[in-house]
Amino acid sequence: MSMQQYYRKVQDKVMVQRDVINALLKDPRIIGDYYEAIVRDAVREAVPASFAIGRGVVLDGDGSASKECDIIIYNNVEYGPLFKSADIVVVSPEAVRCVIQVKGTVNQENLGEAIHSLAMIDQLRQGIWKFIVGFKTNVEYQTLVEVCAQSKCINGIYVFSSSYKQEKEDISLQMQKFMGVLKSITAPQMYQTNDAGKYLTLEISGRDSFHGVPFPD
């Protein structure tokens, strides 16, 4: 089995889990929590043990805090959390490698909300990677990419299905691209040397080399 086939199966598994949750539950708030848990489990499998995964808040020494983050990837060896209860954490900006916001269906309204929430992270510390992950979009994926690049703060947007049939093949590879980027930014040599750059990352194109869209000047 090729890696492309493997990640297609991983993506299919994630979508099946989403469909099961939708069939069982009706409360959108509870469904949202399960969506986050599904992506959190996938992320946990992608990053090395030196990083921990949680949901919570980034808090600096002056008391300034982010909004609640769906997924925080943080250095659990050098820093650890300020507070932890099950998957709920409060972490210092220095500990954070990546923050991810999860959406069931990405649309124009909640995309703006996610961008606003993640933009607050830059006020706490520059260089934290910031991603948006959606199970579905009813906006053209290329439009999402353009909007996120224009924000000058989002470092990647990955959506696992689209209402637009012409985008089906591109969307089918999103899990592979997402996991590839996560593995790269949490690799020991990368973690020591590279913070998030001024671009939206679409995929890893070589050893710690990213292909994406530069932020506009």
Side-chain angles (χ1 to χ4, degrees), residues 1-11 45 175:
M1 180 187 297
S2 69
M3 291 304 295
Q4 192 173 98
Q5 290 172 320
Y6 167 75
Y7 280 113
R8 278 202 171 117
K9 289 185 181 297
V10 173
Q11 185 165 318
E45 294 180 9
M175 182 61 77

Side-chain angles (χ1 to χ4, degrees), residues 6-7 10-11 13-14 17 34-55 69-75 87 96-103 129-135 156 158 160 174-187:
Y6 167 75
Y7 280 113
V10 173
Q11 185 165 318
K13 175 186 173 184
V14 165
Q17 290 175 314
Y34 277 93
Y35 283 169
E36 293 167 21
I38 291 169
V39 177
R40 202 153 43 237
D41 286 346
V43 169
R44 192 172 279 117
E45 294 180 9
V47 302
S50 55
F51 289 91
I53 314 298
R55 177 184 72 178
C69 305
D70 295 337
I71 300 174
I72 303 174
I73 302 174
Y74 63 95
N75 184 330
D87 271 349
V96 179
R97 183 56 172 161
C98 179
V99 174
I100 302 169
Q101 293 296 93
V102 179
K103 299 296 179 185
W129 294 80
K130 298 168 291 296
F131 298 145
I132 298 171
V133 173
F135 286 82
Y158 305 95
F160 301 140
Q174 287 286 285
M175 182 61 77
Q176 182 176 2
K177 294 175 181 179
F178 176 47
M179 292 297 159
V181 171
L182 283 181
K183 287 177 182 294
S184 181
I185 68 173
T186 56

Side-chain angles (χ1 to χ4, degrees), residues 87-161:
D87 271 349
I88 306 298
V89 296
V90 178
V91 292
S92 64
E94 293 76 20
V96 179
R97 183 56 172 161
C98 179
V99 174
I100 302 169
Q101 293 296 93
V102 179
K103 299 296 179 185
T105 299
V106 180
N107 54 44
Q108 294 283 10
E109 181 179 355
N110 64 25
L111 177 63
E113 293 170 356
I115 289 172
H116 177 70
S117 294
L118 291 172
M120 295 177 66
I121 300 294
D122 276 345
Q123 298 174 24
L124 301 174
R125 181 174 74 81
Q126 294 284 323
I128 295 173
W129 294 80
K130 298 168 291 296
F131 298 145
I132 298 171
V133 173
F135 286 82
K136 183 179 180 180
T137 180
N138 55 24
V139 180
E140 286 186 294
Y141 180 65
Q142 287 305 314
T143 299
L144 299 180
V145 168
E146 291 170 8
V147 171
C148 286
Q150 288 289 334
S151 76
K152 299 184 180 182
C153 74
I154 304 302
N155 301 111
I157 180 164
Y158 305 95
V159 185
F160 301 140
S161 67

Side-chain angles (χ1 to χ4, degrees), residues 51-65:
F51 289 91
I53 314 298
R55 177 184 72 178
V57 172
V58 182
L59 178 70
D60 72 10
D62 296 328
S64 298

